[in-house]
């Protein structure tokens, strides 16, 4: 019997793809049935995601800290759960696998040690739920699509499978496959259902995305060259030595064991190797220690200066010698791989100057596709930085933290300034996304020393919250543009005006989401930005000051846009109909979430994210003196 969590996570990933395949059973004339089928498929995916949330909360509730708060136990951290699952599977007689640790591993392509490995924590799970919600509402928003309905809906559902797969993957190869799976559906959605210049926008999207994908591929190959034998369960090493000895009996078993190399795409293992290399490169190799158990209980007698990374049973001196002899322990390797990972994910964030594909893609894409692009796909860039780039190459990340933060600040200010000069409603929101996602990069880069890790935790908490908040507000604002475009058939801000009179409900809901995007206290946009400001100020006031000042620019272009679209009188808009029930159903959940997460941010920040971010910080902060 498969593990329960393996079943749930696999259904969560592949249910949209199965529903996409089911669309081809419908006769071509049954477009209404296709729409309902896709809607129920997306709703089912959201339901499964919420069931996984309940299961994950049960895991947290079973492991309480000394203060009775969930999620801070060492047993709930994703890296420890992944280590335990790998250790159980590596035993000569595998132990009974844990069905509710929400980590699942199965061999996939054994010759390269590639695994079908999935797992959830407070960093990935909010983004999975956000994805399921945005895709569901985007499909509801797509009911006015008349051309090739079957192909359109199938591509959106296939896109959802790729996104959720990337958020849940614990194996770099699986992550890369899911990451690249999104390329084709988005290219076709923009190229076939987009505006007049759709072919150029789709081609530009593909070129930029492929550039990022190539960077990730080269980084993945470089990381696979790392011999991670001292960071995996030693039962696996012994088994490989025994297999080698059986094939070559003339080679002594001890010699065979010394020759064993373990190459992996596993994020957790690569992260441990990267952290060990960071200690060596920063002159702290004496702090490297061997774990006494796969998952170690906190002990008051432990030496706080020691960082236990080597697997239980490893000879420390031999392991250290093997580590220092590898390219991963060189500054050149660390800089090179981190640069590749950063560029690969920066294209998706996107950061300046790799952002120019985004305005073109948004302008030409249909409204529901823009909702998914802004609300979900951009988050893969930030998620990749926090899940892959920083943990796998922490030494380079620490050395370049200030410059990475500067890139974030440039994106914040540049995006806001350019947005002020736009007259196309969609293009303005596209540059607004560039600005808002810059806060994510700045928050992640606010890396202080181990003694000041609390401030960095605020920055990472803010980056995570900002991704969810921007996913809500950006998706909603692009839908708002779509509503008025369906009535006016243009997006020129200078030709709008007076929408408050004929469409009061539309104007009221829009006001909530405009002010949330602006970062008004009491709404979701404020919480993430405030946490980022706190982290950035304690990291570098020189970076924090322009980021804080950008709030004025954001308020300026959003308020000016609000005035041009909704205030005054305009004969051309006075007869526009109010929101339809379908349009209200799309917009109302976004408005409620914008208010709810702003008034009670602890629902997301402290209950979901912070425990996992705290574990992430505990791993990373000690690496910097």
């Amino acid at each position: 019997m498969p593990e329960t969590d393996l079943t749930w996570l696999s259904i969560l990933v592949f249910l949209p793809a199965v529903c996409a395949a089911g669309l081809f059973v419908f006769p071509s004339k049954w477009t209404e049935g296709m729409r309902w089928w896709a809607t129920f498929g997306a709703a089912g995916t959201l339901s499964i995601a919420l069931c996984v949330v309940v299961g994950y909360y049960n895991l947290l509730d079973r492991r309480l800290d000394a203060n009775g708060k969930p999620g801070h136990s060492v047993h709930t951290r994703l890296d420890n759960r992944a280590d335990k699952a790998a250790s159980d599977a590596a035993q000569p007689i595998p132990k009974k696998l844990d069905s509710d640790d929400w980590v699942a591993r199965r061999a996939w392509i054994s010759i390269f040690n590639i695994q079908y490995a999935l797992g959830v924590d407070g960093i990935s799970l909010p983004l999975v739920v956000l994805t399921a919600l945005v895709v569901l509402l985007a499909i509801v928003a797509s009911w006015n699509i008349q051309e090739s309905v079957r192909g359109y809906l199938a591509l959106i559902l296939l896109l959802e499978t790729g996104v959720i797969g990337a958020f849940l993957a614990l194996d770099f190869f699986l992550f890369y496959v899911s990451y690249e799976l999104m390329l084709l559906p988005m290219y076709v959605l923009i190229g076939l259902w987009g505006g007049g210049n759709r072919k150029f926008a789709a081609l530009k999207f593909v070129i930029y995305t492929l550039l990022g994908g190539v960077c990730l591929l080269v980084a993945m190959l470089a990381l696979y060259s790392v011999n991670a034998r001292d960071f995996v369960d030693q039962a696996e090493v012994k088994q490989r030595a025994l297999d080698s000895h059986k094939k070559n009996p003339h080679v002594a078993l001890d010699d065979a064991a010394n020759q064993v190399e373990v190459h992996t795409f596993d994020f957790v293992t690569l992260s441990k190797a990267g952290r060990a290399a960071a200690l060596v490169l920063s002159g702290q190799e004496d702090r490297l220690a061997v774990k006494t158990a796969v998952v170690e209980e906190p002990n008051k007698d432990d030496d706080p200066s020691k960082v236990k990374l080597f697997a239980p049973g490893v000879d420390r001196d031999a392991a250290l010698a093997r580590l220092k002899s590898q390219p991963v322990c060189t500054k050149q390797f660390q800089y090179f791989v981190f640069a590749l990972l950063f560029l690969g994910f920066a294209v998706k964030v996107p950061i300046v100057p790799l952002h120019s594909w985004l305005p073109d893609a948004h302008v030409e894409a249909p409204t529901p596709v823009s909702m998914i692009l802004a609300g979900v796909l951009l988050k893969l860039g930030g998620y990749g930085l926090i899940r892959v780039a920083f943990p796998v190459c922490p030494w380079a990340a620490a050395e370049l933290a200030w410059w990475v933060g500067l890139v974030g600040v440039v994106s914040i200010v540049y995006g806001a300034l350019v947005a002020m000069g736009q007259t196309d409603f969609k293009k303005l929101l596209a540059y607004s996304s560039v600005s808002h996602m810059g806060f994510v990069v700045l928050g992640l880069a606010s890396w202080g020393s181990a003694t000041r890790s609390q401030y960095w935790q605020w920055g990472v908490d803010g980056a995570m919250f900002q991704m969810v908040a921007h996913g809500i507000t950006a998706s909603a604002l692009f839908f708002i543009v779509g509503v008025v475009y369906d009535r006016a058939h243009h997006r020129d801000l200078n030709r709008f005006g007076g929408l408050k009179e004929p469409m009061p409900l539309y104007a009221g809901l829009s006001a909530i989401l405009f002010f949330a995007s602006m970062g008004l206290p009491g709404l979701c946009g404020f919480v993430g930005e405030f946490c980022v400001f706190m982290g950035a100020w304690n990291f570098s006031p020189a970076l924090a000051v322009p980021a804080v000042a950008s709030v004025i620019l954001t308020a300026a272009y959003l308020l000016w846009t609000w005035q041009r679209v909704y205030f005054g009188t305009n004969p051309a808009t006075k007869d526009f109909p109010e929101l339809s029930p379908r349009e209200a159903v799309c917009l109302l959940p976004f408005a409620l979430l914008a208010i709810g997460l702003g008034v009670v941010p602890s629902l997301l920040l402290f209950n979901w994210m912070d425990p996992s971010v705290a574990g992430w910080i505990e791993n990373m902060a000690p690496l910097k003196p």
Side-chain angles (χ1 to χ4, degrees):
M1 289 292 292
E3 303 151 83
T4 305
D5 49 11
L6 173 64
T7 303
W8 280 104
L9 294 177
S10 297
I11 293 174
L12 181 56
V13 172
F14 292 109
L15 179 60
V18 171
C19 292
L23 287 168
F24 292 89
V25 176
F26 287 80
S28 58
K29 294 182 179 180
W30 290 16
T31 55
E32 196 76 5
M34 295 178 195
R35 294 188 180 105
W36 279 109
W37 173 262
T39 302
F40 282 126
T45 304
L46 178 59
S47 301
I48 297 296
L50 295 177
C51 290
V52 174
V53 170
V54 173
Y56 179 68
Y57 257 98
N58 287 336
L59 170 68
L60 298 186
D61 288 340
R62 291 198 308 270
R63 301 288 188 177
L64 303 178
D65 67 1
N67 298 317
K69 295 181 180 179
H72 292 278
S73 166
V74 68
H75 292 271
T76 63
R77 284 169 38 177
L78 179 62
D79 56 330
N80 287 334
R81 286 184 281 132
D83 276 344
K84 185 177 184 302
S87 177
D88 289 348
Q91 302 307 312
I93 302 177
K95 300 177 183 178
K96 182 179 179 180
L97 299 176
D98 194 343
S99 291
D100 52 5
D101 60 355
W102 295 104
V103 171
R105 294 177 180 273
R106 288 293 185 274
W108 182 18
I109 307 176
S110 300
I111 190 173
F112 295 119
N113 199 23
I114 296 172
Q115 296 181 324
Y116 174 71
L118 303 174
V120 297
D121 67 349
I123 294 173
S124 59
L125 196 51
L127 298 176
V128 170
V129 175
L130 174 68
T131 299
L133 175 65
V134 170
V135 171
L136 172 60
L137 296 178
I139 288 177
V140 174
S142 300
W143 276 53
N144 58 352
I145 296 290
Q146 301 297 327
E147 181 182 352
S148 303
V149 174
R150 188 203 317 271
Y152 174 88
L153 294 174
L155 288 169
I156 285 185
L157 290 171
L158 186 61
L159 183 68
E160 184 177 16
T161 283
V163 174
I164 294 178
F167 283 141
L168 296 183
L170 297 181
D171 184 277
F172 204 159
F173 187 87
L174 179 61
F175 175 88
Y176 181 77
V177 170
S178 300
Y179 194 85
E180 291 296 291
L181 178 63
M182 295 172 280
L183 176 63
L184 180 60
M186 185 58 69
Y187 169 72
V188 177
L189 286 167
I190 296 173
L192 292 186
W193 286 271
N197 203 25
R198 58 185 181 271
K199 292 182 180 179
F200 171 77
L203 180 61
K204 194 172 183 179
F205 166 78
V206 168
I207 291 174
Y208 271 83
T209 304
L210 281 177
L211 171 65
V214 169
C215 290
L216 293 182
L217 178 60
V218 176
M220 183 173 67
L221 295 175
L223 290 168
Y224 187 72
S225 70
V226 176
N227 179 9
R229 59 166 288 166
D230 298 309
F231 303 96
V232 301
D233 194 282
Q234 294 304 288
E236 179 180 349
V237 176
K238 292 176 181 178
Q239 184 60 48
R240 293 194 181 197
L242 183 60
D243 293 341
S244 177
H245 176 67
K246 289 179 179 179
K247 290 180 180 179
N248 301 289
H250 63 279
V251 178
L253 185 59
D254 290 343
D255 293 337
N258 291 330
Q259 295 170 8
V260 168
E261 292 191 4
V262 176
H263 301 279
T264 183
F265 292 105
D266 179 64
F267 286 151
V268 174
T269 304
L270 292 173
S271 171
K272 286 188 285 188
R275 286 150 55 200
L279 290 173
V280 173
L281 290 171
S282 59
Q284 304 178 77
E285 64 183 68
D286 57 312
R287 297 179 60 196
L288 270 172
V290 178
K291 298 169 71 174
T292 56
V294 175
V295 180
E296 292 190 306
E297 296 285 354
N299 191 322
K300 64 180 181 179
D301 297 326
D302 288 342
D303 184 350
S305 68
K306 297 297 182 183
V307 181
K308 297 181 179 181
L309 293 173
F310 293 129
V314 166
D315 181 282
R316 180 190 179 278
D317 293 335
L320 185 58
R322 277 191 290 265
L323 177 66
K324 294 170 71 174
S325 67
Q326 297 189 65
V328 70
C329 232
T330 63
K331 296 180 179 180
Q332 294 83 355
F333 183 95
Q334 290 284 318
Y335 279 133
F336 176 68
V337 174
F338 180 78
L340 289 172
L341 292 171
F342 183 76
L343 287 173
F345 294 122
V347 169
K348 193 70 81 176
V349 169
I351 56 99
V352 176
L354 302 174
H355 69 288
S356 64
W357 64 270
L358 185 65
D360 292 322
H362 272 310
V363 166
E364 301 303 330
T367 294
V369 177
S370 286
M371 292 170 63
I372 297 173
L373 178 58
V376 174
L377 293 193
L378 302 189
K379 311 306 171 288
L380 282 161
Y383 179 79
L385 292 176
I386 191 172
R387 180 68 82 206
V388 186
F390 275 69
V392 170
C393 298
W395 181 84
E399 291 293 308
L400 299 174
W402 193 90
W403 297 102
V404 172
L406 179 62
V407 169
V409 171
V410 170
S411 295
I412 293 169
V413 177
Y414 177 86
L417 288 173
V418 177
M420 291 185 69
Q422 302 304 313
T423 58
D424 185 297
F425 206 159
K426 263 195 171 184
K427 189 168 283 190
L428 180 144
L429 294 179
Y431 282 107
S432 174
S433 292
V434 173
S435 179
H436 281 95
M437 290 302 291
F439 285 104
V440 175
V441 177
L442 177 60
L444 294 178
S446 303
W447 190 340
S449 63
T451 57
R452 298 172 61 83
S453 61
Q454 177 62 57
Y455 304 121
W456 189 25
Q457 185 170 335
W458 292 346
V460 178
D461 277 333
M464 283 299 307
F465 199 98
Q466 176 73 358
M467 283 198 282
V468 175
H470 178 262
I472 293 168
T473 57
S475 296
L477 290 175
F478 277 105
F479 180 74
I480 285 169
V481 176
V483 168
V484 72
Y485 181 79
D486 288 342
R487 291 155 173 76
H489 305 295
H490 69 82
R491 295 186 301 268
D492 188 348
L493 292 170
N494 295 323
R495 294 167 58 190
F496 288 127
L499 289 180
K500 181 171 64 68
E501 295 299 327
M503 305 175 70
L505 176 60
Y506 170 72
L509 294 176
S510 299
I512 294 172
L513 293 157
F514 264 84
F515 287 118
S517 182
M518 194 187 306
L520 189 72
L523 297 172
C524 65
F526 172 75
V527 180
E529 292 182 9
F530 178 77
C531 291
V532 170
F533 292 152
M534 292 289 287
W537 182 269
N538 286 279
F539 171 65
S540 171
L543 295 178
V545 169
V548 174
S550 72
V551 171
I552 301 173
L553 298 176
T554 303
Y557 70 75
L558 286 176
L559 286 175
W560 190 29
T561 301
W562 169 259
Q563 290 178 346
R564 284 184 287 176
V565 174
Y566 297 96
F567 284 0
T569 58
N570 186 351
T573 64
K574 65 182 180 66
D575 295 325
F576 282 1
E578 179 60 283
L579 289 175
S580 68
R582 177 181 62 84
E583 292 169 335
V585 164
C586 286
L587 207 51
L588 189 59
F590 287 127
L592 293 177
L593 285 171
I595 296 171
L597 294 181
V599 175
V600 194
S602 59
L603 290 176
L604 177 64
L605 182 58
F606 298 112
N607 290 357
W608 282 30
M609 294 179 177
D610 190 62
S612 294
V613 171
W616 191 86
I617 294 292
E618 286 172 10
N619 285 339
M620 301 287 289
L623 307 180
K624 192 169 184 177

